[in-house]
Amino acid sequence: MSQRVLDVRNLEAGYEPGVPIVRGASITVGKGEIVVVLGPNGAGKSTLIKAIAGLVPITGGTVLLDGSDITAAPAHTMVRLGLAFVPQTENIFPLMSVEDNLKVACGILKPREIPARIGEMYAAFPDLARQRKTVAGNLSGGQRQMLAVARALIVHPKVLVLDEPSAGLSPKFVAMVFEMLAGIRISGVTILLVEQNAKAALAIGDRAYVLVEGKDRHEGVASELWNDPVVAELYLGQRRLDPERDRHSGKGSAA
Amino acid sequence: MNLQFVVDGLLAGSMIGLGAIGVTLTYSILRFSNFAHGDFMAWGAYATLAAVGAIGAMFGKIAPIAPLSFGWPLIAAVVIGMAITGLLALLLDLMLFARLRAKGQAIIVVMASFGASMALRSLLEFIFTSRPTYFSRAIQIAMPVGFGIRITPDQIALLLLTAVLVLGVHLLMTRTQTGRSMQALSQNAALARIVGIDVAKVVRVTWIVGGALACVAGVMIGILIQIRPFMGFDMLLPMFAAAILGGIGSVPGAVLGGLIIGLAEAGAVQLIGAEWRAAVSFIILMTVLFVRPIGLFGVRER
Ligand SMILES: Nc1ncnc2c1ncn2[C@@H]1O[C@H](COP(=O)(O)OP(=O)(O)OP(=O)(O)O)[C@@H](O)[C@H]1O
Ligand SMILES: [Mg+2]
């Protein structure tokens, strides 16, 4: 981890004044890494990354992107700064075609670059190419996630931030999503990933944090965390990390 | 039945439709019913009238263009009027609606638009009095075009202008980055910000487009009927009925809704009498709300 793409220090954030949800969380993401954020329901994982993306008011701490302070940057400037965010739900425009979903995200590209860039996304996601005229709301769950990810990648982000991209998908699509993320990392994109599906996320991740009550309580190498008793304690109480049960307990936990 | 109602209906429908585009855009993008939209029409007509006067003062009397009742001063004045009305809409948003929107209660914004509507109208009465006025007092001869239909050159020109404007707005909405951003904002405001859309900028474009089209509709009413401070307010019900009939958020829907209501009004006037004109919009509005609340082109929220 030579170079820090994302450096979050002592972040405090919440929806209402005086009610902090994120309470002094610190995480870093190195260049080319996949960093996973785990934690029980309601720990503030979504709030943490929404705050990083400029969608939840920040009351303390700093967010550095490639060394520059983006703590106070408005949400719509994030793609230009190099941070692309994929929310957990409602992450596509349901009434627009697949192609228009991609085009509308190209605001920071030069107009003449756009067709070629969309072509690159279609090459990377052939499913989307086949459905380019389809209204996005009619896509399957897995294809929607693909579209949301393609839409985020299209602007060449320095870091891709995802909120539970596998939530609510059938097992086949869950596997597809994690394969896709591993592929994206190989292409050189840095990833910050919030996941309930701990086993699959730790399998593709480099490092991971456990967030509890809005604070990072534990950090480690992803492959080691799986068998770390402290994690089991923090994350699941008495329970072992069990992907099957994770999936059930994760149901209905909207962003 | 005399087919003349088709021409009358298409003309009324054009005015309603151009107004309804603004209503449907404000509703879908800013999420409130702007009851001051009709008064943008009246302001547009008066702004254009004032601009015609100013051009006349500068260039003297200018002859109308061949068969039309107006010359280039009115055409130039409409462009000025569109700019002024767009800016008026923008100013009203800046001073009033944007601040109330920030508080987050839609009903307060709607009420404020009602207040703004009354204030705008009173201001017109104060400046121009409530006496009707006209762009031109010249009488145009309507040409017979068959099937018992008669149409004046002005009417043909205005129908063509409507078609061009509607096509232009449709292309703006579907083929340009600005238009896609407007669609995106109406579908999911948070996601629009995430993908890099500057919401404030899109809101400004929405007001300018809505205001400019309202001005054209107002000028059409001025050319074909008369100019008076209440001219826009009287269009409010048909415009909302058209926007809802077409499906909120749909530009082609608003125009088609406008044409349907215009034709239904004109047909009703011929069949049962002029005093029933206003009831037509109301009946159509209620029918749509009960039978198909999402309108012709509307899509259920997912
Ligand atoms: N829009 C909101 N307004 C107010 N409070 C919210 C909002 N969204 C979430 N919260 C609160 O913030 C806390 C943390 O929620 P958050 O969604 O960040 O947790 P999470 O770790 O992502 O949980 P999950 O695993 O269920 O997705 C919860 O107590 C929740 O009730
Ligand atoms: Mg969450």
Side-chain angles (χ1 to χ4, degrees):
Chain A
M1 200 185 76
S2 50
Q3 198 187 335
R4 286 176 175 179
V5 173
L6 199 59
D7 189 346
V8 179
R9 294 183 192 158
N10 292 316
L11 201 68
E12 271 186 39
Y15 301 91
E16 281 144 48
V19 192
I21 304 287
V22 177
R23 301 170 198 171
S26 298
I27 58 169
T28 61
V29 186
K31 195 166 172 53
E33 273 192 314
I34 292 184
V35 169
V36 182
V37 176
L38 305 172
N41 288 134
K45 305 180 295 294
S46 297
T47 307
L48 169 65
I49 58 175
K50 282 196 273 182
I52 293 172
L55 295 162
V56 174
I58 292 174
T59 49
T62 51
V63 181
L64 302 180
L65 181 65
D66 248 1
S68 47
D69 192 334
I70 62 159
T71 316
H76 75 268
T77 61
M78 288 298 173
V79 283
R80 193 177 292 280
L81 294 167
L83 185 144
F85 176 47
V86 179
Q88 179 181 338
T89 54
E90 298 180 12
N91 52 22
I92 54 160
F93 297 109
L95 308 180
M96 289 164 91
S97 69
V98 166
E99 183 136 323
D100 277 353
N101 263 273
L102 293 176
K103 276 189 186 159
V104 78
C106 290
I108 65 163
L109 301 180
K110 292 195 187 74
R112 53 186 173 74
E113 293 173 359
I114 294 173
R117 190 64 187 140
I118 289 177
E120 284 169 35
M121 288 299 129
Y122 284 153
F125 302 95
D127 266 30
L128 297 182
R130 278 190 289 277
Q131 312 247 38
R132 66 179 75 191
K133 298 268 182 262
T134 307
V135 173
N138 294 339
L139 295 176
S140 71
Q143 288 168 339
R144 280 181 191 224
Q145 285 308 350
M146 258 189 215
L147 177 58
V149 171
R151 182 223 86 215
L153 287 175
I154 205 162
V155 287
H156 304 284
K158 291 173 186 161
V159 58
L160 177 63
V161 180
L162 304 114
D163 196 355
E164 301 199 33
S166 77
L169 298 182
S170 64
K172 186 184 102 193
F173 283 126
V174 171
M176 192 186 76
V177 163
F178 283 106
E179 239 168 69
M180 169 175 79
L181 294 180
I184 290 167
R185 190 263 287 279
I186 290 168
S187 70
V189 180
T190 302
I191 295 176
L192 174 61
L193 173 65
V194 165
E195 257 301 338
Q196 290 277 355
N197 193 336
K199 184 168 192 176
L202 291 175
I204 63 159
D206 297 300
R207 287 182 309 115
Y209 294 85
V210 181
L211 196 75
V212 180
E213 289 174 2
K215 199 163 166 31
D216 53 304
R217 293 284 298 277
H218 197 65
E219 181 199 342
V221 174
S223 54
E224 293 169 10
L225 278 189
W226 180 245
N227 292 313
D228 190 329
V230 184
V231 174
E233 175 82 18
L234 283 174
Y235 180 28
L236 298 168
Q238 306 308 314
R239 207 148 55 75
R240 285 282 309 148
L241 287 167
D242 177 346
E244 278 316 308
R245 291 189 57 182
D246 281 351
R247 203 170 295 127
H248 293 302
S249 66
K251 275 264 171 64
S253 59
Chain B
M1 172 168 196
N2 186 340
L3 284 176
Q4 183 60 32
F5 86 95
V6 174
V7 170
D8 297 344
L10 288 178
L11 282 165
S14 297
M15 301 167 197
I16 298 169
L18 287 178
I21 292 178
V23 167
T24 210
L25 289 180
T26 355
Y27 193 97
S28 64
I29 290 172
L30 297 160
R31 309 216 166 268
F32 82 100
S33 311
N34 177 21
F35 286 121
H37 196 77
D39 301 284
F40 292 166
M41 287 183 178
W43 270 76
Y46 277 103
T48 305
L49 186 70
V52 170
I55 293 173
M58 277 190 282
F59 296 92
K61 190 151 173 57
I62 291 154
I65 300 169
L68 302 175
S69 73
F70 51 85
W72 69 261
L74 181 62
I75 297 170
V78 174
V79 176
I80 299 171
M82 287 167 81
I84 292 176
T85 317
L87 289 178
L88 171 74
L90 212 53
L91 194 70
L92 201 61
D93 188 55
L94 210 69
M95 282 173 26
L96 192 64
F97 300 144
R99 295 178 189 202
L100 294 174
R101 257 201 318 278
K103 295 188 197 281
Q105 266 185 297
I107 189 67
I108 293 180
V109 192
V110 175
M111 288 301 144
S113 81
F114 225 97
S117 161
M118 288 192 268
L120 287 174
R121 210 172 329 128
S122 301
L123 211 53
L124 283 181
E125 289 185 304
F126 180 71
I127 303 172
F128 296 96
T129 78
S130 46
R131 231 194 4 247
T133 171
Y134 301 85
F135 283 114
S136 159
R137 297 216 173 246
I139 306 284
Q140 274 205 312
I141 308 297
M143 312 173 294
V145 288
F147 306 106
I149 300 174
R150 293 177 153 273
I151 190 164
T152 67
D154 279 5
Q155 291 174 335
I156 296 176
L158 292 177
L159 286 178
L160 286 177
L161 175 67
T162 305
V164 168
L165 287 175
V166 169
L167 185 68
V169 175
H170 181 68
L171 291 178
L172 170 80
M173 289 300 290
T174 53
R175 301 289 155 83
T176 69
Q177 194 63 15
T178 304
R180 278 189 287 270
S181 301
M182 290 164 83
Q183 289 184 47
L185 188 52
S186 75
Q187 287 172 38
N188 186 337
L191 186 59
R193 290 159 72 207
I194 291 169
V195 307
I197 292 167
D198 184 349
V199 171
K201 190 179 134 195
V202 176
V203 167
R204 285 197 292 273
V205 174
T206 306
W207 283 116
I208 291 173
V209 170
L213 293 177
C215 170
V216 176
V219 170
M220 283 179 74
I221 299 172
I223 292 175
L224 299 175
I225 309 165
Q226 58 182 197
I227 306 171
R228 46 190 191 92
F230 265 86
M231 62 194 279
F233 184 75
D234 293 342
M235 297 287 284
L236 215 48
L237 182 58
M239 281 194 301
F240 274 90
I244 290 167
L245 171 59
I248 284 294
S250 165
V251 169
V255 176
L256 188 68
L259 292 178
I260 292 175
I261 287 179
L263 287 169
E265 275 186 1
V269 167
Q270 210 183 80
L271 284 176
I272 41 181
E275 67 275 23
W276 289 93
R277 177 187 285 273
V280 171
S281 303
F282 184 72
I283 291 168
I284 292 180
L285 179 61
M286 287 303 141
T287 312
V288 175
L289 289 177
F290 278 115
V291 176
R292 188 176 159 87
I294 58 169
L296 297 173
F297 287 76
V299 187
R300 251 172 222 98
E301 295 273 335
R302 253 168 265 255

